[in-house]
């Protein structure tokens, strides 16, 4: 393999092909590559996944079957199978009690060579009772008395088809021989406080655990290696952040007149959290460094107002702003929500989506290039080549589908003077995930609800009480209420018995007539928009929907949310759906309708939702239940792939690594100190090549 410029020669053997290790041929290489192991470095970072405790016993009478034991026996005689397909049995004794070893399809010369009659052998494996007699099927180890005993605790590696424990153990041992002695890159004080071994010692210990305690993420060796991964990752984010900050931005300082006009127009003042976030953003934009900020807010925390105030800073400074949403529904809804605020400020706001007819689109593009449009709202299509701004100063991304760090790096490199960037996320993210995913961004958190937002009463109810639900709905609608009814699938399918939206729509239509509308993702957009408009205006009072309404749909008069088969949704999704009600002044209810019996996971999800409206608490439970990739959605997560570190259980280490990386870069911007040079080694080891180039540009 060709070595990238700059990688220390001591690390070359670790980055050679995996088949440079003894005993790995083409088949072994293919099997290891299935596990993502392509070079010795990957194998070094692939730790045992579990372990086997082997108890050494002197006599069979000490065994507590079924258990894994190691015992010395004398081979008495072999019983080859008389009928094809039957096992080969070997009769042994410990001098008092008999033991039968059982083998399926062994080669005759191999088994007689391994277990010669009259000889003593050490066997280790699972001892069980069969018809009251002790037996061991396919012992894991057959050794002579001169051989070293198998360890009392034996590590077990993850395997793919075509690999055995023996091959993995030998290959890992060979790969460990290639790890050079390295200078310490962790802060010495942290090592003393935590009692961590050196990097090489940690690897050796983690590959040879002596007990189940050594397999724990909190064991000194594993915790240290996890920290190494976190530190390399956070160093990369710190370098990316520094690189972005070095990119010259433009100072956009507003005089506040447009913002004052909007705030005077509101029925109540912004919350403390909104005011704080708006000020942080305005301060960033006023500096000549490019802003890269994440605005993280729970459902209904008022991100839209903060985004509008940010956009107005750009307009006050003589420029333009763009707000990008992931879907057309959301883009149009943002435009509808912001239009009254734009009118109050006396500025022009326009929406641009893929559905705009040619003439309309052309007029918008002309006005945008001339500076006649102050704020543009659209989908990611606003990045197309024919879209030109007169003076774009702020890009706001409503980031339902996330960018990874790499894409943010690419975005940062576009344009002579890239605009300030504000990324909004509606998903409350536990701190450890926010650090791993957005560690290169400054973060503003909205953790208060605006005044007037009502608490939502959340109730769990069995779907066997469906009639009671529709009866209650009838009386609520008679008083003018509006209700969402969410179903998990579009139509009945053979693979699932989840009630379908179309079937539910038909049955509710039979009861409530023309008051019911249906929306789902496979409908033509104009039909979907018409159904939503009827619901928003009150012409319809029940909207049957799939999860297309999960994010951003805003009808303040809707006060009832029914979620059918609620146990089949993820926690964050349920929280987002519930957030569609409680947006006006009316008391709101969310009914979690489940199909009994509930399993443990389903019950924990629904009771968590019933007991709290705190999105950050809900996100933490979701993380504990599902794991990091699932919470964020692995495909678009931009999450780093850690081989050893475990975000769910070691989040505290991530925060330490972030502070450490930022502090070190402040003290040693070029990483030329002894610790800085050692850290470069770590970055090469953890394959953060992109980040090393950022160090090299200084």
């Amino acid at each position: 393999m060709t070595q990238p410029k700059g990688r220390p020669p001591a690390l070359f053997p670790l980055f050679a092909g995996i088949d440079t290790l003894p005993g790995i041929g083409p088949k072994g290489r293919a099997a290891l590559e299935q596990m993502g192991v392509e070079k010795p470095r990957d194998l070094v970072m692939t730790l045992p996944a579990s372990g086997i405790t082997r108890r050494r016993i002197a006599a069979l009478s000490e065994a507590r079957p079924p258990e894994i034991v190691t015992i010395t026996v004398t081979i008495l005689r072999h019983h080859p199978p008389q009928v094809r397909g039957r096992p080969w049995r070997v009769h042994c004794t410990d001098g008092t009690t008999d033991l039968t070893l059982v083998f399926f399809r062994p080669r005759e010369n191999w088994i007689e060579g391994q277990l010669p009659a009259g000889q003593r052998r050490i066997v280790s494996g699972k001892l069980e009772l069969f018809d009251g007699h002790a037996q061991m099927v396919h012992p894991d180890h057959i050794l002579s008395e001169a051989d070293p005993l198998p360890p009392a605790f034996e590590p077990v590696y993850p395997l793919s088809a075509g690999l055995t424990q023996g091959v993995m153990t030998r290959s890992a041992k060979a790969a460990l021989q290639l790890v050079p002695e390295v200078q310490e890159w962790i802060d010495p004080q942290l090592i003393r406080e935590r009692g961590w071994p050196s990097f090489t010692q940690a690897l050796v210990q983690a590959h040879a655990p002596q007990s189940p305690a050594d397999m724990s993420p909190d064991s000194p060796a594993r915790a240290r290696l996890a920290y190494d991964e976190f530190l390399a990752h956070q160093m990369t984010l710190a370098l990316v952040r520094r690189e972005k900050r070095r990119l010259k931005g433009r100072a956009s300082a507003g005089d506040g007149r447009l913002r004052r006009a909007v705030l005077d127009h509101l029925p109540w003042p912004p919350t403390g959290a909104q005011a704080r976030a708006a000020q942080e953003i305005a301060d960033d934009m006023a500096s000549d460094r490019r802003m890269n900020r994440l605005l993280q807010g729970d459902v209904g925390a008022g991100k839209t107002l903060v985004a509008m105030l940010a956009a107005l800073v750009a307009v006050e400074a003589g420029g333009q702003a763009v707000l990008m949403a992931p879907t057309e529904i959301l883009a149009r809804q943002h435009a509808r929500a912001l239009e009254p605020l734009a009118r109050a400020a006396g500025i022009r706001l326009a929406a641009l989506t893929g559905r705009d007819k040619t003439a309309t689109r052309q007029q918008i593009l002309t006005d945008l290039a001339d500076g006649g449009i102050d704020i543009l709202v659209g989908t990611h299509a606003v990045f197309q080549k024919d879209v030109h701004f007169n003076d774009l100063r702020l890009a706001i991304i409503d980031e339902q589908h996330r960018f990874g760090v790499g894409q943010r790096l690419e975005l940062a490199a576009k344009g002579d003077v890239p605009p300030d960037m504000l990324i909004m996320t509606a998903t409350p993210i536990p701190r450890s995930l926010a650090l791993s995913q957005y560690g290169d961004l400054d973060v503003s958190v909205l953790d208060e609800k605006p005044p007037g937002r009502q608490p939502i009463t959340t109730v769990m109810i069995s779907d066997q009480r469906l009639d009671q639900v529709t009866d209650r709905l009838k009386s609520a609608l008679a008083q003018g209420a509006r209700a969402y009814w969410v179903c998990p699938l579009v139509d009945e399918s053979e693979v699932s018995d989840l009630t379908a939206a179309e079937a539910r729509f038909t049955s509710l239509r039979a009861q409530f007539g023309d008051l019911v509308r249906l929306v789902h993702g496979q409908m033509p957009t104009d039909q979907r928009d018409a159904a939503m408009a009827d619901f928003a205006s009150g012409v319809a009072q029940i909207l049957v929907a799939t999860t297309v309404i999960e994010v951003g749909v805003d009808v303040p008069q809707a006060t009832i949310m029914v979620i059918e088969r609620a146990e089949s949704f993820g926690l964050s999704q349920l929280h987002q759906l519930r957030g569609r009600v409680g947006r006006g002044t009316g008391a709101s209810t969310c009914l979690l309708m489940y199909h009994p019996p509930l399993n443990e996971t389903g019950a924990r999800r629904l009771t968590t939702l019933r007991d709290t409206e705190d999105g950050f608490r809900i996100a933490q439970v979701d993380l504990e239940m599902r794991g990091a990739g699932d919470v964020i959605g692995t495909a678009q997560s931009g999450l780093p792939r850690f081989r050893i570190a475990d975000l769910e259980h070691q989040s505290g280490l991530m925060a330490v690594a972030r502070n450490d990386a930022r502090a070190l870069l402040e003290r040693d911007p070029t990483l030329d100190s002894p610790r800085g040079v050692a850290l470069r080694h770590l970055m090469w080891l953890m394959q953060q090549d992109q980040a090393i180039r950022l160090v090299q540009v200084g």
Side-chain angles (χ1 to χ4, degrees):
M1 291 170 84
T2 58
Q3 302 292 343
K5 181 175 166 235
R7 177 177 287 147
L11 299 181
F12 285 2
L14 280 174
F15 284 83
I18 194 71
D19 48 9
T20 55
L21 291 176
I24 303 282
K27 278 186 183 167
R29 187 182 78 189
L32 283 163
E33 282 174 353
Q34 275 185 317
M35 295 169 56
V37 175
E38 296 174 357
K39 44 196 174 298
R41 174 257 170 215
D42 302 336
L43 197 51
V44 161
M45 299 295 286
T46 303
L47 300 187
S50 61
I52 294 171
T53 303
R54 293 182 186 282
R55 195 161 69 92
R56 176 80 170 112
I57 56 174
L60 288 162
S61 57
E62 295 173 26
R64 299 185 290 269
E67 85 163 315
I68 295 168
V69 297
T70 302
I71 185 165
T72 305
V73 291
T74 303
I75 314 304
L76 297 177
R77 56 192 169 276
H78 286 247
H79 296 282
Q82 301 305 307
V83 180
R84 191 188 167 99
R86 291 286 174 85
W88 184 302
R89 297 178 188 278
V90 183
H91 205 64
C92 321
T93 181
D94 66 357
T96 309
T97 311
D98 289 354
L99 170 68
T100 305
L101 305 179
V102 181
F103 298 86
F104 290 90
R105 294 190 295 282
R107 295 190 311 278
E108 186 171 340
N109 54 354
W110 175 84
I111 195 165
E112 288 178 341
Q114 288 285 313
L115 297 159
Q119 298 286 310
R120 283 163 67 78
R121 286 289 181 266
I122 298 165
V123 291
S124 186
K126 189 173 187 181
L127 188 113
E128 298 172 289
L129 288 181
F130 184 72
D131 282 349
H133 299 290
Q135 75 167 23
M136 194 181 281
V137 179
H138 285 281
D140 304 323
H141 299 276
I142 301 171
L143 307 164
S144 74
E145 289 184 285
D147 292 330
L149 286 172
F153 184 76
E154 190 171 40
V156 175
Y157 286 93
L159 299 177
S160 65
L163 279 178
T164 63
Q165 281 302 327
V167 168
M168 276 298 277
T169 306
R170 285 191 297 277
S171 305
K173 203 170 264 181
L176 283 170
Q177 304 293 314
L178 304 176
V179 179
E181 278 302 326
V182 287
Q183 294 302 306
E184 186 54 76
W185 47 69
I186 296 181
D187 180 359
Q189 188 183 342
L190 184 62
I191 288 209
R192 281 195 301 276
E193 280 171 14
R194 305 272 174 146
W196 285 344
S198 72
F199 177 68
T200 352
Q201 286 170 331
L203 280 173
V204 170
Q205 288 171 23
H207 279 275
Q210 301 299 302
S211 71
D214 292 345
M215 307 285 298
S216 151
D218 300 325
S219 69
R222 286 197 176 222
R224 189 241 142 90
L225 295 171
Y227 187 77
D228 292 330
E229 284 194 293
F230 286 153
L231 183 59
H233 174 65
Q234 287 298 319
M235 200 70 204
T236 301
L237 289 179
L239 286 161
V240 169
R241 183 169 183 261
R242 181 177 78 180
E243 183 65 10
K244 286 178 177 173
R245 292 189 147 202
R246 185 183 289 127
L247 281 168
K248 269 296 195 198
R250 260 184 316 170
S252 296
D255 56 12
R257 64 197 159 80
L258 300 179
R259 283 170 283 171
R260 272 194 302 278
V262 164
L263 292 171
D264 290 345
H265 166 80
L266 295 174
W268 39 65
T271 63
Q274 284 175 313
R276 186 175 62 241
Q279 190 58 53
E280 287 167 348
I281 292 164
D283 291 347
D284 276 3
M285 291 177 71
S287 105
D288 62 359
R289 285 200 189 145
R290 182 170 179 239
M291 173 173 78
N292 280 285
R293 187 167 280 278
L294 174 72
L295 177 63
Q296 187 181 359
D298 200 351
V299 174
K303 290 181 296 298
T304 311
L305 175 63
V306 176
M308 184 63 175
L309 294 173
L312 291 174
V313 173
V315 181
E316 288 171 1
Q320 296 164 300
V322 62
L323 168 59
M324 287 178 287
T327 64
E328 251 182 56
I329 280 191
L330 263 177
R332 294 202 169 275
Q333 188 165 294
H334 275 311
R336 275 199 302 274
L338 296 175
E339 181 58 49
L341 303 181
R343 274 202 308 275
I347 61 166
R348 185 167 168 210
L349 176 140
L352 181 68
T353 66
R355 282 171 51 216
D356 291 312
K357 301 290 181 285
T358 316
T360 315
R361 178 182 170 81
Q362 200 47 57
Q363 187 59 55
I364 290 174
L365 293 182
T366 304
D367 292 351
L368 195 64
D370 293 346
I373 291 171
D374 300 298
I375 299 175
L376 182 70
V377 180
T379 55
H380 287 73
V382 301
F383 262 156
Q384 286 170 349
K385 287 191 173 60
D386 62 344
V387 181
H388 299 288
F389 291 85
N390 182 51
D391 180 13
L392 179 63
R393 287 173 177 254
L394 174 67
I396 303 168
I397 298 174
D398 187 3
E399 198 204 20
Q400 187 192 5
H401 301 292
R402 289 174 191 76
F403 287 28
V405 179
Q407 285 133 310
R408 294 206 288 275
L409 254 181
E410 284 163 31
L411 249 172
K414 280 189 198 298
D416 302 334
V417 184
D420 285 326
M421 191 182 294
L422 179 66
I423 294 174
M424 300 198 295
T425 174
T427 313
I429 303 171
R431 180 169 160 73
S432 58
L433 286 191
L435 287 183
S436 68
Q437 203 190 0
Y438 298 115
D440 55 320
L441 304 178
D442 297 304
V443 181
S444 295
V445 177
L446 298 181
D447 49 11
E448 298 172 52
K449 284 203 171 178
R453 291 300 292 257
Q454 299 296 314
I456 302 165
T457 305
T458 304
V459 179
M460 290 166 61
I461 189 164
S462 155
D463 58 12
Q464 291 164 352
R465 295 167 63 190
L466 180 65
D467 291 348
Q468 285 171 259
V469 173
T470 50
D471 286 347
R472 278 183 61 189
L473 200 52
K474 204 166 280 177
S475 54
L477 296 190
Q479 291 164 23
R482 275 178 242 172
Y484 294 105
W485 191 300
V486 178
C487 304
L489 286 182
V490 174
D491 54 16
E492 293 291 354
S493 79
E494 290 165 14
V495 292
S496 169
D497 61 351
L498 298 178
T499 311
E502 287 182 342
R504 180 57 63 217
F505 170 67
T506 307
S507 72
L508 289 174
R509 195 84 192 228
Q511 282 179 274
F512 296 98
D514 196 41
L515 294 177
V516 190
R517 294 290 182 278
L518 171 69
V519 292
H520 58 70
Q522 294 170 27
M523 287 169 89
T525 316
D526 52 348
Q527 285 182 30
R528 198 164 62 199
D529 285 355
M532 299 281 274
D534 283 353
F535 184 64
S537 67
V539 171
Q541 286 179 270
I542 300 178
L543 188 68
V544 177
T546 56
T547 51
V548 291
I549 65 154
E550 178 185 337
V551 177
V553 172
D554 192 9
V555 179
Q557 298 82 359
T559 54
I560 298 169
M561 168 64 73
V562 180
I563 305 174
E564 206 165 338
R565 292 310 284 266
E567 75 277 14
S568 70
F569 292 96
L571 246 180
S572 295
Q573 203 175 23
L574 288 169
H575 181 58
Q576 292 288 345
L577 286 168
R578 175 172 63 183
R580 298 308 103 214
V581 295
R583 295 177 158 255
T585 51
S588 293
T589 307
C590 175
L591 293 179
L592 303 172
M593 210 188 308
Y594 63 89
H595 185 68
L598 270 180
N599 64 19
E600 192 183 334
T601 310
R604 186 175 177 202
R605 263 192 219 138
L606 300 191
T607 51
T608 300
L609 203 75
R610 182 191 64 196
D611 297 344
T612 182
E613 277 191 67
D614 177 349
F616 290 93
R617 169 81 197 109
I618 287 168
Q620 188 58 47
V621 174
D622 204 17
L623 176 64
E624 289 161 14
M625 289 176 72
R626 293 199 297 156
D630 291 330
V631 168
I632 288 196
T634 308
Q636 73 266 16
S637 69
L639 265 185
R641 300 282 189 272
F642 296 122
R643 279 187 179 270
I644 294 170
D646 178 342
L647 266 176
E648 288 93 290
H649 298 112
Q650 295 173 307
S651 54
L653 288 180
M654 176 68 90
V656 177
R658 180 201 203 205
N659 295 338
D660 193 8
R662 287 189 173 188
L664 182 64
L665 262 190
E666 290 290 318
R667 289 196 307 273
D668 180 14
T670 50
L671 296 185
D672 286 327
S673 67
R675 190 178 164 211
V677 171
L679 242 160
R680 290 183 186 220
H681 255 75
L682 170 68
M683 311 261 289
W684 281 116
L685 258 171
M686 298 303 172
Q687 306 184 123
Q688 303 286 350
D689 307 16
Q690 192 179 26
I692 293 167
R693 289 187 197 103
L694 293 181
V695 182
Q696 288 163 351
V697 296

